[in-house]
């Protein structure tokens, strides 16, 4: 049982740890608005993960393999990421580390949560994980008709994702005080460009999938 718990937590960390749009947004929000805004991005991502996990658990993952669903999700992700990155990039010259932190902090938690939901729910790599890797692990437990084992796997995977998101938000929030304002602006700008890159990548993948489906 200990091995099952440990391996499931590591599986959750494996989906959360790689650098991707959700981690970049957590970093960007943490640098700009602080811990709670960054943490809410992670909570939003976990909400999407929970929905995808439930879909796989109850056998509804087949919907995620439909072409029009994948294309729609990727295009939505493209719009959200490009908008977030461009908005942040164009506002860099107005960015401050401390002076208007409290003003900018207010009202950002809900927006951060919503963006986390959308980014995680439209990420092609995230969808691939839940359909393939997690689906394979879960199907083995379900074939054994061991619902308790399936519940442990799902819970520990979710715990692993939560631990990574919380640690990243905590690290970024306090790390922002260790560097100067100029460096933080550069980091903010780079993070914005990476978000735009991922958005355009999502859009390109979505368009390719659409054209391939229409040509067959």
């Amino acid at each position: 049982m200990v091995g099952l718990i440990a391996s499931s937590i590591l599986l959750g960390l494996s989906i959360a740890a790689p650098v991707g749009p959700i981690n970049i947004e957590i970093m960007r929000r943490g640098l700009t608005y602080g811990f709670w805004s960054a943490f809410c991005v992670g909570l939003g991502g976990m909400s999407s993960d929970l929905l995808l996990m439930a879909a796989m658990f109850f056998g509804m993952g087949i919907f995620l393999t439909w072409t029009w669903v994948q294309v729609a999700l990727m295009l939505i992700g493209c719009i959200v990421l490009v908008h977030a990155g461009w908005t942040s990039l164009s506002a860099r010259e107005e960015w401050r580390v401390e002076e208007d932190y409290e003003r900018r902090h207010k009202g950002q938690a809900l927006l951060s949560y919503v963006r986390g939901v959308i980014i995680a729910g439209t990420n092609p790599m995230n969808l691939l994980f839940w359909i393939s890797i997690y689906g394979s692990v879960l199907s083995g437990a379900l074939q054994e008709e061991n619902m308790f084992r399936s519940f442990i796997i799902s819970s520990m995977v979710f715990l692993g994702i939560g631990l990574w998101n919380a640690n990243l938000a905590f690290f970024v929030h306090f790390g922002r005080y260790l560097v100067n304002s100029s460096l933080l602006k550069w980091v903010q700008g780079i993070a914005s460009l990476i978000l735009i890159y991922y958005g355009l990548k999502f859009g390109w993948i979505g368009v390719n999938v659409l054209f391939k489906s229409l040509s067959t």
Side-chain angles (χ1 to χ4, degrees):
M1 181 59 68
V2 175
L4 175 65
I5 292 175
S7 62
S8 298
I9 292 176
L10 288 175
L11 185 60
L13 290 171
S14 71
I15 181 59
V19 177
I22 193 71
N23 281 340
I24 295 297
E25 182 66 4
I26 288 175
M27 293 172 61
R28 191 183 71 84
R29 287 265 159 182
L31 291 173
T32 310
Y33 302 110
F35 173 80
W36 286 110
S37 187
F39 187 63
C40 284
V41 174
L43 287 179
M46 290 175 65
S47 296
S48 278
D49 291 336
L50 184 61
L51 291 175
L52 292 171
M53 181 186 293
M56 299 303 301
F57 193 88
F58 293 106
M60 296 183 293
I62 186 64
F63 295 114
L64 298 177
T65 64
W66 292 358
T67 299
W68 69 269
V69 173
Q70 294 180 355
V71 170
L73 290 175
M74 291 175 195
L75 293 181
I76 292 173
C78 171
I79 294 171
V80 171
L81 288 174
V82 171
H83 177 267
W86 178 255
T87 301
S88 177
L89 191 65
S90 61
R92 277 182 64 197
E93 66 278 5
E94 301 174 1
W95 193 69
R96 300 289 184 275
V97 178
E98 295 292 344
E99 290 84 349
D100 59 347
Y101 173 77
E102 290 299 329
R103 178 181 62 80
R104 290 184 289 104
H105 178 76
K106 294 178 180 178
Q108 289 297 324
L110 180 58
L111 178 59
S112 298
Y113 176 82
V114 171
R115 279 191 173 168
V117 170
I118 296 174
I119 292 172
T122 58
N123 186 346
M125 297 307 297
N126 201 32
L127 296 175
L128 180 63
F129 169 84
W130 292 107
I131 294 173
S132 58
I133 302 174
Y134 176 76
S136 299
V137 173
L138 185 62
S139 65
L142 292 177
Q143 287 174 3
E144 298 174 3
E145 297 184 353
N146 191 334
M147 296 302 295
F148 178 73
R149 181 184 178 88
S150 302
F151 176 77
I152 290 295
I153 292 174
S154 301
S155 300
M156 293 303 102
V157 167
F158 197 66
L159 176 61
I161 296 172
L163 288 174
W164 175 264
N165 290 338
N167 286 332
L168 181 59
F170 182 85
F171 174 80
V172 171
H173 172 73
F174 289 100
R176 68 197 293 271
Y177 297 108
L178 302 179
V179 294
N180 58 43
S181 176
S182 178
L183 179 58
L184 285 177
K185 289 180 181 179
W186 277 103
V187 173
Q188 175 79 351
I190 293 172
S192 300
L193 289 174
I194 294 175
L195 286 180
I196 293 174
Y197 162 75
Y198 276 112
L200 294 176
K201 182 179 180 180
F202 285 11
W204 177 255
I205 294 174
V207 170
N208 281 337
V209 171
L210 178 61
F211 277 121
K212 286 181 180 179
S213 65
L214 292 176
S215 61
T216 56

